[in-house]
Amino acid sequence: MYNYRNVYDPQTGFMRGRKPNGKWTKKFNPFAWGGPYTEGNAWHWEWSVFHDMQGLINLLGGPANFTSKLDSVFTLPSTVDIGTHHKPIHEMTEMVAAGMGQYAHGNQPIQHMPYLYTYGGQPWKTQQHVREVMRKLYNATENGYPGDEDQGQTSSWYVLSAMGLYSVCPGTDQYVVGSPAFPKATLTLENGQQFTIEAKDNSPRNVYIQSATLNGQLYTHHWLTYGDLTKGGKLTFRMTDTPALDRGLSPADAPFSLSKK
């Protein structure tokens, strides 16, 4: 579970491939697709430490470096180096067409990445980016689907995210909180219970969570457990157009991670 540390290269700041003798593969280029990176590049596979995001934060030198690198994924140009591929593959063209830097939502390896700001103490950026992805890359036309549908992943990303939740690490019982797309959604569960997610003052502009309550009690965590859902109840958000920079910043408010700060 900590083996990811062995493929992290502190000199480049990326996960890299190693040769059988343990040496790094040569001619490293974080924009190059293929080689050790399946259907992606180093910018995409940097974030695949679902169970130990705090450990990755520590490797990268702390929350400020971590969130800055997340920012770079969106602000870099949509440069494609075909790398070991003989020609561009559709995942490359989908990333370029999306126009969101190196964020390649059309393929699964990086789809969880917008939620990682929450682990780094900047949950408002998660809220902004997930709403932008939903608005920009999904719609109800023949062009409203951003890429691969491997076993329902790309559509389930939207369904969960539109409710305001996402299972970054499915091996835990937590859903990470994002930004709900609708004013109200009700889940009718197999046990007969209902769980309602209400987003007051929600709008295309009001993407930030100002405050939240769970069953009437103030709720600052950026995660919700499966047990919370199955018991039934109501999660209420108050939405605004301004980031709540001081909300939910205690260690207990961050989602699960094996490592601690």
Side-chain angles (χ1 to χ4, degrees):
M1 61 185 176
Y2 294 121
N3 194 54
Y4 68 89
R5 298 171 179 172
N6 296 323
V7 292
Y8 177 74
D9 176 13
Q11 289 192 329
T12 63
F14 286 97
M15 304 293 176
R16 290 184 61 182
R18 287 185 184 272
K19 296 180 179 181
N21 63 5
K23 293 184 178 180
W24 300 115
T25 53
K26 294 181 179 180
K27 298 181 180 180
F28 174 72
N29 176 0
F31 296 100
W33 288 55
Y37 310 108
T38 302
E39 296 180 354
N41 63 29
W43 280 105
H44 305 150
W45 285 97
E46 180 84 342
W47 318 104
S48 296
V49 190
F50 311 95
H51 60 295
D52 194 23
M53 205 53 60
Q54 183 60 49
L56 180 59
I57 291 172
N58 297 341
L59 279 181
L60 293 177
N65 288 346
F66 177 76
T67 53
S68 177
K69 197 158 194 176
L70 289 171
D71 290 341
S72 295
V73 173
F74 291 109
T75 59
L76 284 167
S78 298
T79 300
V80 169
D81 184 321
I82 63 174
T84 60
H85 293 274
H86 298 297
K87 59 182 180 179
I89 58 176
H90 70 86
E91 288 85 358
M92 298 175 188
T93 57
E94 288 158 2
M95 185 189 80
V96 173
M100 301 182 74
Q102 288 294 307
Y103 181 66
H105 188 82
N107 202 26
Q108 287 70 34
I110 201 172
Q111 287 181 353
H112 67 295
M113 180 232 135
Y115 286 90
L116 302 187
Y117 286 103
T118 298
Y119 296 77
Q122 295 184 348
W124 58 91
K125 289 185 179 178
T126 285
Q127 295 156 22
Q128 184 265 316
H129 283 297
V130 296
R131 286 287 286 271
E132 182 183 19
V133 171
M134 285 188 279
R135 175 187 60 82
K136 189 172 184 179
L137 302 185
Y138 292 86
N139 61 62
T141 75
E142 67 276 10
N143 296 318
Y145 209 67
D148 278 8
E149 179 64 314
D150 291 346
Q151 299 179 336
Q153 166 64 17
T154 303
S155 57
S156 63
W157 186 97
Y158 181 85
V159 171
L160 286 168
S161 295
M163 291 191 297
L165 306 171
Y166 189 68
S167 51
V168 171
C169 185
T172 72
D173 66 344
Q174 291 183 356
Y175 296 91
V176 178
V177 172
S179 177
F182 300 105
K184 185 177 181 180
T186 299
L187 301 175
T188 300
L189 305 166
E190 291 182 351
N191 61 6
Q193 298 289 343
Q194 287 191 328
F195 190 88
T196 299
I197 300 172
E198 185 175 17
K200 295 183 177 180
D201 301 324
N202 201 4
S203 72
R205 183 178 176 86
N206 291 355
V207 303
Y208 300 105
I209 297 172
Q210 183 180 56
S211 61
T213 60
L214 178 61
N215 299 324
Q217 301 297 312
L218 182 66
Y219 196 76
T220 59
H221 297 336
H222 300 293
W223 47 268
L224 196 72
T225 69
Y226 179 73
D228 292 329
L229 292 174
T230 57
K231 285 186 294 187
K234 187 175 184 180
L235 178 64
T236 302
F237 297 113
R238 177 72 66 180
M239 308 300 292
T240 180
D241 63 355
T242 304
L245 302 181
D246 297 325
R247 178 181 173 271
L249 299 183
S250 74
D253 292 323
F256 169 82
S257 183
L258 279 173
S259 298
K260 306 302 178 185
K261 292 184 179 180

mmCIF file of all heavy atoms in Angstrom, residues 98-119:
data_model
loop_
_atom_site.group_PDB
_atom_site.id
_atom_site.type_symbol
_atom_site.label_atom_id
_atom_site.label_comp_id
_atom_site.label_asym_id
_atom_site.label_seq_id
_atom_site.Cartn_x
_atom_site.Cartn_y
_atom_site.Cartn_z
ATOM 1 N N ALA A 98 -11.363 19.183 -25.118
ATOM 2 C CA ALA A 98 -11.940 19.683 -23.868
ATOM 3 C C ALA A 98 -11.394 21.054 -23.513
ATOM 4 O O ALA A 98 -12.096 21.873 -22.895
ATOM 5 C CB ALA A 98 -11.668 18.695 -22.734
ATOM 6 N N GLY A 99 -10.146 21.332 -23.860
ATOM 7 C CA GLY A 99 -9.570 22.641 -23.617
ATOM 8 C C GLY A 99 -9.410 22.984 -22.153
ATOM 9 O O GLY A 99 -9.563 24.146 -21.754
ATOM 10 N N MET A 100 -9.093 21.982 -21.333
ATOM 11 C CA MET A 100 -8.911 22.205 -19.892
ATOM 12 C C MET A 100 -7.491 21.836 -19.468
ATOM 13 O O MET A 100 -7.270 21.185 -18.462
ATOM 14 C CB MET A 100 -9.947 21.403 -19.100
ATOM 15 C CG MET A 100 -11.383 21.768 -19.447
ATOM 16 S SD MET A 100 -12.629 20.875 -18.483
ATOM 17 C CE MET A 100 -12.450 21.720 -16.901
ATOM 18 N N GLY A 101 -6.524 22.271 -20.274
ATOM 19 C CA GLY A 101 -5.131 22.013 -19.956
ATOM 20 C C GLY A 101 -4.782 20.544 -20.111
ATOM 21 O O GLY A 101 -5.150 19.903 -21.086
ATOM 22 N N GLN A 102 -4.090 20.001 -19.109
ATOM 23 C CA GLN A 102 -3.722 18.592 -19.123
ATOM 24 C C GLN A 102 -4.783 17.713 -18.458
ATOM 25 O O GLN A 102 -4.572 16.512 -18.269
ATOM 26 C CB GLN A 102 -2.373 18.391 -18.431
ATOM 27 C CG GLN A 102 -1.191 18.901 -19.235
ATOM 28 C CD GLN A 102 -0.984 18.116 -20.522
ATOM 29 O OE1 GLN A 102 -0.882 16.887 -20.501
ATOM 30 N NE2 GLN A 102 -0.913 18.817 -21.652
ATOM 31 N N TYR A 103 -5.905 18.303 -18.080
ATOM 32 C CA TYR A 103 -6.989 17.518 -17.485
ATOM 33 C C TYR A 103 -7.721 16.767 -18.586
ATOM 34 O O TYR A 103 -8.363 17.369 -19.451
ATOM 35 C CB TYR A 103 -7.961 18.410 -16.714
ATOM 36 C CG TYR A 103 -9.069 17.626 -16.061
ATOM 37 C CD1 TYR A 103 -8.785 16.738 -15.031
ATOM 38 C CD2 TYR A 103 -10.381 17.748 -16.490
ATOM 39 C CE1 TYR A 103 -9.797 15.991 -14.439
ATOM 40 C CE2 TYR A 103 -11.396 17.012 -15.895
ATOM 41 C CZ TYR A 103 -11.092 16.131 -14.878
ATOM 42 O OH TYR A 103 -12.093 15.387 -14.298
ATOM 43 N N ALA A 104 -7.633 15.438 -18.564
ATOM 44 C CA ALA A 104 -8.182 14.587 -19.617
ATOM 45 C C ALA A 104 -9.393 13.820 -19.091
ATOM 46 O O ALA A 104 -9.337 12.608 -18.875
ATOM 47 C CB ALA A 104 -7.120 13.624 -20.131
ATOM 48 N N HIS A 105 -10.488 14.526 -18.896
ATOM 49 C CA HIS A 105 -11.672 13.899 -18.308
ATOM 50 C C HIS A 105 -12.260 12.814 -19.196
ATOM 51 O O HIS A 105 -13.002 11.960 -18.721
ATOM 52 C CB HIS A 105 -12.740 14.957 -18.025
ATOM 53 C CG HIS A 105 -13.906 14.443 -17.252
ATOM 54 N ND1 HIS A 105 -13.882 14.315 -15.874
ATOM 55 C CD2 HIS A 105 -15.132 14.001 -17.646
ATOM 56 C CE1 HIS A 105 -15.036 13.830 -15.461
ATOM 57 N NE2 HIS A 105 -15.816 13.625 -16.512
ATOM 58 N N GLY A 106 -11.928 12.816 -20.480
ATOM 59 C CA GLY A 106 -12.446 11.791 -21.370
ATOM 60 C C GLY A 106 -11.905 10.409 -21.105
ATOM 61 O O GLY A 106 -12.351 9.438 -21.723
ATOM 62 N N ASN A 107 -10.973 10.273 -20.179
ATOM 63 C CA ASN A 107 -10.428 8.971 -19.815
ATOM 64 C C ASN A 107 -10.356 8.857 -18.294
ATOM 65 O O ASN A 107 -10.188 9.851 -17.587
ATOM 66 C CB ASN A 107 -9.041 8.777 -20.439
ATOM 67 C CG ASN A 107 -8.669 7.318 -20.565
ATOM 68 O OD1 ASN A 107 -9.533 6.446 -20.647
ATOM 69 N ND2 ASN A 107 -7.388 7.037 -20.592
ATOM 70 N N GLN A 108 -10.457 7.634 -17.786
ATOM 71 C CA GLN A 108 -10.681 7.422 -16.360
ATOM 72 C C GLN A 108 -9.520 7.782 -15.417
ATOM 73 O O GLN A 108 -9.778 8.175 -14.277
ATOM 74 C CB GLN A 108 -11.081 5.960 -16.100
ATOM 75 C CG GLN A 108 -12.484 5.607 -16.542
ATOM 76 C CD GLN A 108 -12.642 5.569 -18.044
ATOM 77 O OE1 GLN A 108 -11.720 5.200 -18.759
ATOM 78 N NE2 GLN A 108 -13.804 5.963 -18.539
ATOM 79 N N PRO A 109 -8.246 7.644 -15.802
ATOM 80 C CA PRO A 109 -7.179 7.781 -14.804
ATOM 81 C C PRO A 109 -7.155 9.079 -14.018
ATOM 82 O O PRO A 109 -6.628 9.106 -12.904
ATOM 83 C CB PRO A 109 -5.902 7.620 -15.644
ATOM 84 C CG PRO A 109 -6.309 6.747 -16.773
ATOM 85 C CD PRO A 109 -7.708 7.163 -17.095
ATOM 86 N N ILE A 110 -7.723 10.157 -14.554
ATOM 87 C CA ILE A 110 -7.612 11.447 -13.864
ATOM 88 C C ILE A 110 -8.964 12.002 -13.427
ATOM 89 O O ILE A 110 -9.043 13.102 -12.881
ATOM 90 C CB ILE A 110 -6.875 12.462 -14.765
ATOM 91 C CG1 ILE A 110 -6.295 13.616 -13.931
ATOM 92 C CG2 ILE A 110 -7.786 12.946 -15.891
ATOM 93 C CD1 ILE A 110 -5.407 14.555 -14.721
ATOM 94 N N GLN A 111 -10.032 11.258 -13.594
ATOM 95 C CA GLN A 111 -11.359 11.818 -13.325
ATOM 96 C C GLN A 111 -11.576 12.181 -11.852
ATOM 97 O O GLN A 111 -12.407 13.036 -11.541
ATOM 98 C CB GLN A 111 -12.449 10.855 -13.798
ATOM 99 C CG GLN A 111 -12.573 10.808 -15.313
ATOM 100 C CD GLN A 111 -13.660 9.871 -15.797
ATOM 101 O OE1 GLN A 111 -14.270 9.138 -15.026
ATOM 102 N NE2 GLN A 111 -13.906 9.876 -17.100
ATOM 103 N N HIS A 112 -10.845 11.557 -10.951
ATOM 104 C CA HIS A 112 -11.002 11.876 -9.528
ATOM 105 C C HIS A 112 -10.241 13.133 -9.117
ATOM 106 O O HIS A 112 -10.437 13.671 -8.026
ATOM 107 C CB HIS A 112 -10.500 10.711 -8.671
ATOM 108 C CG HIS A 112 -9.021 10.489 -8.776
ATOM 109 N ND1 HIS A 112 -8.405 10.098 -9.945
ATOM 110 C CD2 HIS A 112 -8.022 10.616 -7.874
ATOM 111 C CE1 HIS A 112 -7.105 9.981 -9.754
ATOM 112 N NE2 HIS A 112 -6.845 10.300 -8.506
ATOM 113 N N MET A 113 -9.342 13.612 -9.994
ATOM 114 C CA MET A 113 -8.394 14.646 -9.617
ATOM 115 C C MET A 113 -9.025 15.959 -9.124
ATOM 116 O O MET A 113 -8.521 16.565 -8.175
ATOM 117 C CB MET A 113 -7.450 14.897 -10.784
ATOM 118 C CG MET A 113 -6.387 15.951 -10.551
ATOM 119 S SD MET A 113 -6.444 17.132 -11.896
ATOM 120 C CE MET A 113 -6.340 18.662 -11.020
ATOM 121 N N PRO A 114 -10.133 16.464 -9.699
ATOM 122 C CA PRO A 114 -10.691 17.721 -9.172
ATOM 123 C C PRO A 114 -11.087 17.646 -7.704
ATOM 124 O O PRO A 114 -11.110 18.673 -7.014
ATOM 125 C CB PRO A 114 -11.922 17.956 -10.064
ATOM 126 C CG PRO A 114 -11.614 17.236 -11.330
ATOM 127 C CD PRO A 114 -10.846 16.024 -10.912
ATOM 128 N N TYR A 115 -11.368 16.458 -7.222
ATOM 129 C CA TYR A 115 -11.770 16.309 -5.813
ATOM 130 C C TYR A 115 -10.582 16.354 -4.851
ATOM 131 O O TYR A 115 -10.769 16.415 -3.635
ATOM 132 C CB TYR A 115 -12.537 14.996 -5.633
ATOM 133 C CG TYR A 115 -13.929 15.062 -6.193
ATOM 134 C CD1 TYR A 115 -14.187 14.708 -7.516
ATOM 135 C CD2 TYR A 115 -15.003 15.496 -5.422
ATOM 136 C CE1 TYR A 115 -15.462 14.794 -8.053
ATOM 137 C CE2 TYR A 115 -16.284 15.579 -5.951
ATOM 138 C CZ TYR A 115 -16.506 15.236 -7.258
ATOM 139 O OH TYR A 115 -17.781 15.333 -7.780
ATOM 140 N N LEU A 116 -9.375 16.339 -5.369
ATOM 141 C CA LEU A 116 -8.204 16.226 -4.493
ATOM 142 C C LEU A 116 -7.847 17.528 -3.803
ATOM 143 O O LEU A 116 -7.121 17.521 -2.801
ATOM 144 C CB LEU A 116 -7.013 15.692 -5.296
ATOM 145 C CG LEU A 116 -7.236 14.331 -5.957
ATOM 146 C CD1 LEU A 116 -5.936 13.833 -6.578
ATOM 147 C CD2 LEU A 116 -7.784 13.310 -4.964
ATOM 148 N N TYR A 117 -8.336 18.661 -4.290
ATOM 149 C CA TYR A 117 -8.126 19.910 -3.564
ATOM 150 C C TYR A 117 -8.651 19.814 -2.136
ATOM 151 O O TYR A 117 -8.127 20.455 -1.221
ATOM 152 C CB TYR A 117 -8.835 21.065 -4.268
ATOM 153 C CG TYR A 117 -8.184 21.541 -5.538
ATOM 154 C CD1 TYR A 117 -8.711 21.181 -6.786
ATOM 155 C CD2 TYR A 117 -7.069 22.368 -5.514
ATOM 156 C CE1 TYR A 117 -8.140 21.644 -7.971
ATOM 157 C CE2 TYR A 117 -6.490 22.829 -6.688
ATOM 158 C CZ TYR A 117 -7.029 22.456 -7.905
ATOM 159 O OH TYR A 117 -6.449 22.912 -9.066
ATOM 160 N N THR A 118 -9.687 19.025 -1.957
ATOM 161 C CA THR A 118 -10.283 18.860 -0.632
ATOM 162 C C THR A 118 -9.279 18.275 0.358
ATOM 163 O O THR A 118 -9.251 18.654 1.528
ATOM 164 C CB THR A 118 -11.533 17.964 -0.743
ATOM 165 O OG1 THR A 118 -12.482 18.617 -1.581
ATOM 166 C CG2 THR A 118 -12.152 17.715 0.614
ATOM 167 N N TYR A 119 -8.424 17.363 -0.111
ATOM 168 C CA TYR A 119 -7.408 16.767 0.747
ATOM 169 C C TYR A 119 -6.306 17.769 1.071
ATOM 170 O O TYR A 119 -5.642 17.656 2.091
ATOM 171 C CB TYR A 119 -6.774 15.552 0.061
ATOM 172 C CG TYR A 119 -7.716 14.403 -0.197
ATOM 173 C CD1 TYR A 119 -8.630 14.443 -1.238
ATOM 174 C CD2 TYR A 119 -7.660 13.255 0.588
ATOM 175 C CE1 TYR A 119 -9.480 13.381 -1.494
ATOM 176 C CE2 TYR A 119 -8.504 12.173 0.333
ATOM 177 C CZ TYR A 119 -9.412 12.250 -0.700
ATOM 178 O OH TYR A 119 -10.251 11.189 -0.940
#
